[in-house]
Amino acid sequence: QSVLTQPPSVSAAPGQKVTISCSGSNSNIGNNYVSWYLQLPGTAPKLLIYDNNKRPSRIPDRFSGSKSGTSATLDITGLQTGDEADYYCGTWDSSLTSWVFGGGTKLTVL
Amino acid sequence: QVQLVESGGGVVQPGTSLRLSCAASGFSFSDFGMHWVRQGPGKGLEWVAVIWYDGSKRFYGDSVRDRFTISRDNYKNTVYLEANSLRAEDTAVYYCARDDGIGATHIDHWGQGALLTVSS
């Protein structure tokens, strides 16, 4: 069982918006920054969002992140078939003194 | 640009040891923490270990603590993962990854991964 909880799967139609949630506790999300990672099939993960809501320069503004209390959210607007991938949230856990990932969410663009 | 290249994967028997290496280039290696993250077949990401930029701190995931050791050589720009008492459940692709700070900030770059298979 992952320390951070994500829905196993989400789906939406092309052009629509989807939200992926990530739930944790005070020792992780509640007191540390959250980052999000995208993993296309058969490839290494790559950074999508860091420090809760910042995007690396190469990431389009269709991707956005937010955090409230012990939960974080990744929003993807204007869905494209190329967005089909697994998405992971991650953060440092101060009690465990370890990095923790969510279990991952598989996005299907119908 | 940042490059991380893992090596040392392969097929090993249960109970044996193996050392993974990750050669880094394209950045000032000694300024950044380094992680190992693994992904078992059909599974999600599992964080394995982190070492601080100067090697002063090391932290491990529960499933590998006391069996795996992370280390680094800032002269060779290389991070290592010594894996002992290997089990079938250690079978995974092992990714080397850079922390965007000294060690507990966030992962910003990943290698392509090295496959370790533990099987008799």
Side-chain angles (χ1 to χ4, degrees):
Chain A
Q1 297 286 15
S2 301
V3 172
L4 304 180
T5 301
Q6 297 180 233
S9 63
V10 295
S11 62
Q16 297 300 303
K17 172 185 173 181
V18 71
T19 296
I20 298 174
S21 61
C22 176
S23 177
S25 66
N26 284 326
S27 65
N28 43 67
I29 292 178
N31 283 284
N32 294 290
Y33 288 116
V34 176
S35 49
W36 289 89
Y37 304 88
L38 168 153
Q39 186 177 34
L40 295 166
T43 69
K46 73 173 185 179
L47 179 64
L48 265 184
I49 298 289
Y50 67 98
D51 290 356
N52 302 331
N53 55 18
K54 297 177 183 175
R55 283 188 315 274
S57 57
R58 68 187 185 285
I59 302 300
D61 59 6
R62 300 188 299 107
F63 296 88
S64 63
S66 63
K67 188 183 98 168
S68 178
T70 59
S71 293
T73 298
L74 173 70
D75 289 324
I76 310 172
T77 60
L79 276 172
Q80 303 172 1
T81 55
D83 295 333
E84 286 200 333
D86 293 322
Y87 293 82
Y88 296 89
C89 58
T91 187
W92 183 255
D93 190 300
S94 305
S95 294
L96 298 175
T97 55
S98 68
W99 185 265
V100 290
F101 286 106
T105 299
K106 183 175 183 60
L107 169 62
T108 301
V109 181
L110 302 170
Chain B
Q1 73 280 20
V2 173
Q3 281 200 313
L4 302 169
V5 180
E6 301 93 340
S7 61
V11 181
V12 299
Q13 293 192 332
T16 60
S17 300
L18 183 105
R19 188 176 81 162
L20 298 172
S21 301
C22 171
S25 61
F27 64 101
S28 181
F29 181 72
S30 60
D31 288 340
F32 293 86
M34 296 296 296
H35 299 257
W36 285 97
V37 177
R38 70 184 183 182
Q39 187 169 34
K43 297 187 177 180
L45 301 176
E46 180 187 8
W47 180 79
V48 174
V50 64
I51 185 166
W52 251 228
Y53 70 108
D54 59 356
S56 61
K57 294 185 180 181
R58 313 176 198 204
F59 298 103
Y60 298 91
D62 285 345
S63 60
V64 306
R65 191 174 293 118
D66 300 329
R67 296 189 302 124
F68 288 16
T69 301
I70 189 171
S71 62
R72 65 190 295 158
D73 185 332
N74 283 350
Y75 294 102
K76 294 183 177 180
N77 290 352
T78 301
V79 61
Y80 304 98
L81 185 69
E82 185 80 31
N84 299 314
S85 302
L86 284 162
R87 307 165 180 167
E89 53 265 37
D90 295 318
T91 294
V93 174
Y94 284 74
Y95 294 104
C96 165
R98 190 186 83 164
D99 193 275
D100 194 21
I102 62 172
T105 311
H106 59 267
I107 293 172
D108 66 347
H109 288 88
W110 302 69
Q112 287 306 299
L115 177 61
L116 169 61
T117 302
V118 183
S119 174
S120 55

